[in-house]
Amino acid sequence: MKLNLNNTSLKMSAGLPKQFPTDAIPQIAFSGRSNVGKSSLINSLLNRKSLARVSQSPGKTITINFYDVDRKLFLVDLPGYGYAKRTFTDKQKWSALTDGYFTQNKNIDLLRLVVQLVDSRVGPTADDRAMLQYLRQANLPHIVVATKTDKLNATETDAFINKIQSDPDVADAGCIILYSAMSGDGRDELWEEILLAAGLN
């Protein structure tokens, strides 16, 4: 790998589009509902235990976190969506901030890939589908990563794969990766997709 993962830090937690960093390096964005395991996946990717903090109050924090990886790549953690207990005002803030990332990001041309996370135990939710449809309509390159696959047995895994591969909302995804932050399954495959998209392979 051409990246030194030990040289990784949180560059910025942005609550407003004007706070987005302007560094001219590729961006890989991670999208998914609250509790999908996004923080655990990012920590797993970076071989860290707590760089991406797992919130004690799911859906409470509404910021976009930019992780600087070896000054060559940003991993962009978009705020989790679909948390039932979030207030209407908070939902509006989430929508505005996430929309701002895609529409007011001065470096949107550096967004190389959106990694859309789906809980393998649940499958795509209505909110996941809305995001996938947006990515398709906006012609944004994206892949689907199914999280928490260690929670499934072999029969459940096969059923999930068969179902998601035929899902029309997933049809435009570049690929589908099964991922377990616990075991590391899928980590190498995901890094391969990230490095390829960022031109760092």
Side-chain angles (χ1 to χ4, degrees):
M1 186 184 294
K2 295 182 179 180
L3 294 173
N4 177 9
L5 299 185
N6 291 322
N7 187 26
T8 298
S9 62
L10 175 61
K11 171 77 173 184
M12 169 67 66
S13 289
L16 297 168
K18 66 181 181 181
Q19 297 175 326
F20 297 161
T22 57
D23 310 57
I25 59 177
Q27 299 184 13
I28 305 293
F30 292 78
S31 169
R33 70 177 181 84
S34 297
N35 289 342
V36 76
K38 190 151 43 66
S39 295
S40 296
L41 181 144
I42 290 173
N43 285 329
S44 167
L45 273 177
L46 297 172
N47 283 332
R48 300 294 186 90
K49 289 185 177 180
S50 58
L51 181 64
R53 295 182 181 177
V54 179
S55 176
Q56 297 301 312
S57 301
K60 184 176 181 180
T61 303
I62 305 176
T63 59
I64 294 179
N65 297 323
F66 292 79
Y67 296 97
D68 182 332
V69 185
D70 201 25
R71 301 298 303 131
K72 297 177 182 177
L73 180 71
F74 276 135
L75 298 187
V76 184
D77 183 5
L78 300 176
Y81 53 74
Y83 186 58
K85 294 183 180 179
R86 180 175 286 165
T87 66
F88 178 72
T89 299
D90 282 347
K91 289 179 180 178
Q92 285 184 312
K93 289 179 181 177
W94 174 87
S95 180
L97 183 58
T98 301
D99 180 74
Y101 175 74
F102 292 110
T103 63
Q104 300 176 48
N105 183 357
K106 294 179 180 179
N107 279 355
I108 192 62
D109 59 313
L110 292 174
L111 175 59
R112 298 291 188 251
L113 183 69
V114 178
V115 179
Q116 177 62 38
L117 306 187
V118 172
D119 190 327
S120 63
R121 302 168 302 172
V122 179
T125 64
D127 290 315
D128 293 332
R129 293 184 185 283
M131 192 67 193
L132 286 163
Q133 290 163 12
Y134 173 80
L135 295 174
R136 180 175 68 248
Q137 292 164 4
N139 292 317
L140 291 170
H142 60 282
I143 62 174
V144 170
V145 172
T147 61
K148 305 181 182 180
T149 55
D150 53 282
K151 306 293 186 181
L152 304 181
N153 60 37
T155 300
E156 292 169 333
T157 298
D158 289 342
F160 172 78
I161 292 172
N162 290 333
K163 188 173 183 179
I164 200 166
Q165 285 181 337
S166 60
D167 193 311
D169 288 325
V170 180
D172 289 333
C175 68
I176 302 168
I177 296 174
L178 303 184
Y179 200 102
S180 168
M182 292 291 293
S183 68
D185 288 347
R187 182 178 182 272
D188 290 345
E189 188 178 356
L190 180 51
W191 264 122
E192 185 177 340
E193 292 295 328
I194 290 172
L195 295 175
L196 179 63
L200 297 172
N201 58 322

